[in-house]
Amino acid sequence: MLPGIGVFGTGPVVKVLIPILRENGFKIEAIWSRTLQDAQEAAKSLNIPFFTNVIDDVLLKKDVDLIFVLCSPNLHAQISVKALGIGKHVVCDKPAGLYQSDALKMVRAGQYYPSLISLINHSFRFLPAFIQLKKKLEENYLGSPITLIDIKVQTGSLFTDIDTFDWKCNAEMGGGTLNLIGSHIVDLITFLTGEKAIRVHGVVRTFTKHTETIKGIRQITAPDFCVFQMELHNGVLVTVNLNSHAIGSTFQQEILVCSSTGHLVVRGGDLFGRKEKTTEEVIYLDVEDLKCPVPNSMLPKTFIKGLCKMVAALREAFLPVNDQAGWIKEPVSTAANFEDGLYVQAVLSAIKHSSQTKQWVKVSIMTEQPDKNELLSAVVRRTAISMS
């Protein structure tokens, strides 16, 4: 029997996810939002029987065994850790909290309750084009070691359809291109190559500070442009350009993996390859229709398809094994876990630091919680840099 689901959040991802979950046989038992009015409106439009603005009201419901955390990043760690502590499975949206300290709390909770599923929603891992790309790399399609990975992602404005100022407009609450898109890219590189970054260099900028609906004393601080480089442990250089400053643009992505003898490239959801002295060939075309009925959404088709595949794998994980009640983790073994979320958070932190100092920054993964004096010193240093 599939677990009942409690959802935290009412944003665009939630509106796409819930029909996908229902198509896969899951029952949505409860939904939470910051305000009771938002929770009530979402429950009515999505046909969910229970709504609340109290976190524990969802977590303590007996018919809820799987939690989807899709609210603002400052609540990710709090909800995830508490849910695991009372025996609930957790799928948390990216990134894993606001800081590495948040992600580390999530890692510790996941390690303490290893029998529970604890995943980060990096759904690109389940997109067929990237699965095929990973397979080709493992089969040594390129014929020689990877030298460069070049990534370009362009979207429309992140703030055009936002009527009022919310967390997505605020960098300190986890909004912006780097967190919302860059986190996917950082995780994807590790998924494809098995390698992690040792140092980074980045530039993070906010060009759109006001819109027609967000103006006056309220100012957008979340970045809408980011470019960064990562040097991986094996020496491969990764260059990434994330641009959500182009108003009206549709989602476009290109992930180009190069060697001295060829390349592999994902454009949108399609995979192409070229070996030395040959023309570019089609390896995989994304012609599969979405199996799940989803509402019209500004979310990219590639993201939605990856989400469909991830939910299908999650369903398989909860199906009875050998005619006995139970579940297995194998179907979601390739999904990003909380340890992956901690690494991604370390890279994002290093990119932000690099943008402030205008220098290459070493990626350092936190292994223990800093004390209060260290946190205060870090705040003072960030303030001094921002004022210089």
Side-chain angles (χ1 to χ4, degrees):
M1 183 175 178
L2 296 176
I5 291 177
V7 177
F8 286 86
T10 57
V13 176
V14 172
K15 292 178 174 61
V16 167
L17 174 65
I18 286 178
I20 296 174
L21 288 168
R22 285 180 171 144
E23 184 70 15
N24 280 273
F26 290 99
K27 186 177 180 181
I28 318 302
E29 301 287 357
I31 191 167
W32 171 96
S33 184
R34 285 182 177 275
T35 68
L36 195 60
Q37 180 180 349
D38 285 346
Q40 183 177 18
E41 291 175 355
K44 182 178 180 180
S45 64
L46 297 169
N47 194 26
I48 298 172
F50 180 82
F51 62 89
T52 181
N53 64 342
V54 179
I55 290 174
D56 286 355
D57 285 353
V58 175
L59 295 180
L60 297 176
K61 280 186 70 66
K62 292 182 179 180
D63 50 2
V64 169
D65 292 302
L66 172 60
I67 299 296
F68 273 80
V69 186
L70 302 166
C71 51
S72 57
N74 61 306
L75 293 174
H76 286 183
Q78 175 188 342
I79 297 172
S80 297
V81 170
K82 183 176 285 190
L84 289 170
I86 58 177
K88 313 286 187 178
H89 303 281
V90 175
V91 177
C92 182
D93 206 11
K94 79 301 167 194
L98 285 177
Y99 310 105
Q100 280 201 72
S101 56
D102 292 338
L104 185 57
K105 292 175 184 177
M106 295 168 65
V107 169
R108 296 272 174 81
Q111 291 172 340
Y112 196 77
Y113 302 100
S115 63
L116 298 173
I117 284 179
S118 52
L119 306 177
I120 299 293
N121 178 26
H122 285 304
S123 57
F124 279 158
R125 289 185 176 221
F126 291 87
L127 191 68
F130 291 130
I131 293 174
Q132 292 296 322
L133 173 55
K134 180 179 176 67
K135 181 180 178 182
K136 288 298 180 182
L137 291 175
E138 292 172 345
E139 294 173 349
N140 196 28
Y141 173 92
L142 296 176
S144 58
I146 298 172
T147 54
L148 174 69
I149 302 176
D150 184 47
I151 299 175
K152 295 180 178 66
V153 179
Q154 180 173 300
T155 72
S157 172
L158 298 178
F159 316 116
T160 300
D161 293 334
I162 298 178
D163 295 328
T164 59
F165 189 94
D166 65 10
W167 69 267
K168 292 183 287 295
C169 303
N170 191 317
E172 294 301 318
M173 293 187 69
T177 302
L178 180 59
N179 276 345
L180 301 182
I181 303 174
S183 58
H184 278 306
I185 299 303
V186 173
D187 177 77
L188 182 63
I189 293 302
T190 301
F191 171 70
L192 293 174
T193 67
E195 298 288 340
K196 294 183 177 180
I198 57 173
R199 61 178 185 148
V200 301
H201 185 277
V203 176
V204 183
R205 291 287 185 270
T206 303
F207 290 106
T208 304
K209 298 184 179 181
H210 296 95
T211 67
E212 291 184 0
T213 56
I214 303 171
K215 50 191 175 181
I217 61 172
R218 271 292 177 62
Q219 181 172 291
I220 296 171
T221 59
D224 52 14
F225 175 81
C226 178
V227 58
F228 61 90
Q229 298 167 295
M230 301 192 299
E231 183 181 335
L232 304 186
H233 189 266
N234 62 354
V236 172
L237 182 65
V238 180
T239 62
V240 181
N241 187 302
L242 308 176
N243 179 13
S244 62
H245 182 56
I247 297 176
S249 296
T250 57
F251 181 86
Q252 300 175 47
Q253 68 175 7
E254 181 176 282
I255 291 85
L256 177 66
V257 182
C258 300
S259 75
S260 60
T261 56
H263 71 253
L264 287 160
V265 57
V266 172
R267 300 186 184 102
D270 305 323
L271 174 62
F272 306 88
R274 180 174 182 175
K275 299 180 181 180
E276 192 174 20
K277 297 180 181 179
T278 64
T279 57
E280 190 172 82
E281 63 175 327
V282 176
I283 296 176
Y284 173 83
L285 285 180
D286 184 14
V287 296
E288 179 186 6
D289 291 332
L290 288 173
K291 301 298 184 183
C292 304
V294 296
N296 292 330
S297 174
M298 292 186 64
L299 296 175
K301 179 184 176 182
T302 49
F303 173 82
I304 296 175
K305 179 163 285 189
L307 197 59
C308 286
K309 298 289 187 181
M310 188 182 77
V311 170
L314 194 62
R315 176 182 182 274
E316 187 178 346
F318 283 104
L319 290 178
V321 181
N322 297 326
D323 297 326
Q324 296 179 354
W327 56 275
I328 54 175
K329 286 189 176 182
E330 280 77 6
V332 291
S333 60
T334 60
N337 55 35
F338 285 0
E339 286 84 357
D340 296 315
L342 175 61
Y343 161 71
V344 170
Q345 194 62 263
V347 175
L348 299 183
S349 297
I351 292 170
K352 295 170 189 174
H353 188 196
S354 172
S355 183
Q356 293 172 336
T357 62
K358 299 178 175 59
Q359 297 176 342
W360 281 87
V361 173
K362 181 181 178 181
V363 176
S364 180
I365 301 177
M366 183 182 292
T367 57
E368 60 183 25
Q369 296 288 351
D371 61 33
K372 292 182 179 179
N373 290 333
E374 289 176 337
L375 289 174
L376 180 59
S377 297
V379 171
V380 171
R381 287 196 301 271
R382 287 197 298 269
T383 303
I385 290 171
S386 64
M387 293 177 64
S388 62

